[in-house]
Amino acid sequence: MNTMKTTNAVRKVLSCMLMLAMLVALTACGDNPSEPDKNDISGIVGTWNEVSVFPRVLTVHEDSTYTLDEEGGKVTVDYEEHPDGSKSVWYTFTTNEGEFWTSFAKDEDNEVQNDLWSGQDGEMHFMRDGIDEQLTTDDYLHHAWSSGRCYITFEKDKKNYVASVSWSNSASESTQWTYICRFDEKTSSMVCEKGATCVVVTTSKSGKQKSKTVYKDGSGSFLIKSGTLRWIDDKENAGADMYFVKLNDAE
């Protein structure tokens, strides 16, 4: 009888030890590993467009390499430990020569992310290629957009929108385009199908202005992509190779 009790007791002890071992193993699996997986970059593999006046194209490859226009290097995953014990995950980019280029914060809420922000200040911003931006008319209105000596503003006019483009040719002469647009929700763009005007304005030394109409049958469109505004002029292609950035909030 005593032998049976002893055997049962041993079985209970062994069972408890087994359960405790399983619990420890499950708890360990839930913790962040002490060292990050240097190869797990699947969440950012793809092509990215920089949100900039002169955007660059960043491509992250499955083999943990990247190309930035004609340059390239390696991508690793690193953890940043904080005083409270929490950790931030970063994608670290180094050049082929082993020099640090930048790091982008990992999006902890999404397995595949569509935005890359560099460092702590987010100085560089890349957006995944092919992602449609959800834009509204407010993204165009109430702002002034600039590219060198050329400025664009948008105003609401009853059911339409007026896009005004002013290009300073010199201190005494400027060219001005006016487009009556509608907002195309499918493409999130401002579209003028006809009736756009182009006028050259000259100012004399005495301050007197003189206007000369170049045409009244123009058309075109405006599109915000990756934070920059593109002007597509169908008449003379005047906005070719121009990237407009938001200057300030229009009064």
Side-chain angles (χ1 to χ4, degrees):
M1 190 73 175
N2 291 335
T3 301
M4 292 181 61
K5 289 183 178 179
T6 302
T7 301
N8 289 335
V10 171
R11 288 177 177 175
K12 289 181 178 180
V13 171
L14 291 174
S15 178
C16 290
M17 292 177 65
L18 179 60
M19 292 180 64
L20 180 60
M22 292 176 63
L23 181 61
V24 170
L26 290 173
T27 302
C29 291
D31 292 337
N32 287 329
S34 57
E35 289 295 331
D37 183 352
K38 299 295 184 180
N39 298 315
D40 185 16
I41 64 165
S42 57
I44 62 169
V45 170
T47 302
W48 303 79
N49 298 312
E50 186 176 16
V51 180
S52 172
V53 179
F54 303 105
R56 295 172 291 178
V57 176
L58 171 67
T59 304
V60 181
H61 307 283
E62 293 182 355
D63 63 353
S64 297
T65 63
Y66 75 91
T67 54
L68 179 69
D69 290 341
E70 298 180 357
E71 303 297 327
K74 292 283 186 179
V75 186
T76 58
V77 184
D78 296 296
Y79 288 155
E80 177 187 7
E81 296 191 15
H82 304 292
D84 61 357
S86 62
K87 297 180 180 180
S88 298
V89 185
W90 295 87
Y91 296 108
T92 301
F93 288 66
T94 54
T95 66
N96 286 323
E97 292 74 27
E99 297 180 358
F100 174 80
W101 171 51
T102 191
S103 58
F104 297 102
K106 175 180 173 58
D107 185 349
E108 302 285 4
D109 298 325
N110 297 287
E111 184 176 350
V112 176
Q113 62 192 78
N114 295 321
D115 289 276
L116 293 175
W117 297 89
S118 68
Q120 301 289 349
D121 55 5
E123 181 179 354
M124 284 188 290
H125 180 202
F126 287 80
M127 293 186 64
R128 186 180 290 277
D129 185 50
I131 298 299
D132 293 331
E133 299 177 69
Q134 299 299 315
L135 301 176
T136 67
T137 56
D138 285 339
D139 291 294
Y140 291 86
L141 299 172
H142 317 303
H143 304 290
W145 302 81
S146 70
S147 177
R149 295 178 298 171
C150 191
Y151 298 87
I152 300 177
T153 58
F154 298 88
E155 295 181 358
K156 183 74 169 62
D157 180 27
K158 297 181 181 179
K159 295 183 179 181
N160 298 313
Y161 301 89
V162 179
S164 301
V165 182
S166 179
W167 194 333
S168 178
N169 306 321
S170 65
S172 60
E173 181 181 284
S174 65
T175 304
Q176 300 176 2
W177 293 261
T178 302
Y179 298 82
I180 306 301
C181 304
R182 62 176 177 82
F183 183 69
D184 188 333
E185 294 185 357
K186 182 178 294 186
T187 60
S188 296
S189 62
M190 291 285 185
V191 180
C192 173
E193 297 173 342
K194 60 180 180 179
T197 62
C198 176
V199 177
V200 175
V201 179
T202 56
T203 304
S204 65
K205 293 183 179 181
S206 62
K208 185 178 180 180
Q209 288 189 338
K210 182 179 180 181
S211 300
K212 178 183 178 181
T213 301
V214 180
Y215 60 78
K216 297 182 180 180
D217 59 348
S219 62
S221 59
F222 301 85
L223 174 66
I224 297 174
K225 188 69 174 180
S226 300
T228 60
L229 176 70
R230 296 302 307 274
W231 167 31
I232 298 92
D233 175 49
D234 297 334
K235 184 74 172 179
E236 298 177 327
N237 200 25
D241 300 323
M242 298 181 70
Y243 295 86
F244 292 80
V245 295
K246 191 182 299 182
L247 185 62
N248 54 36
D249 290 337
E251 299 294 337

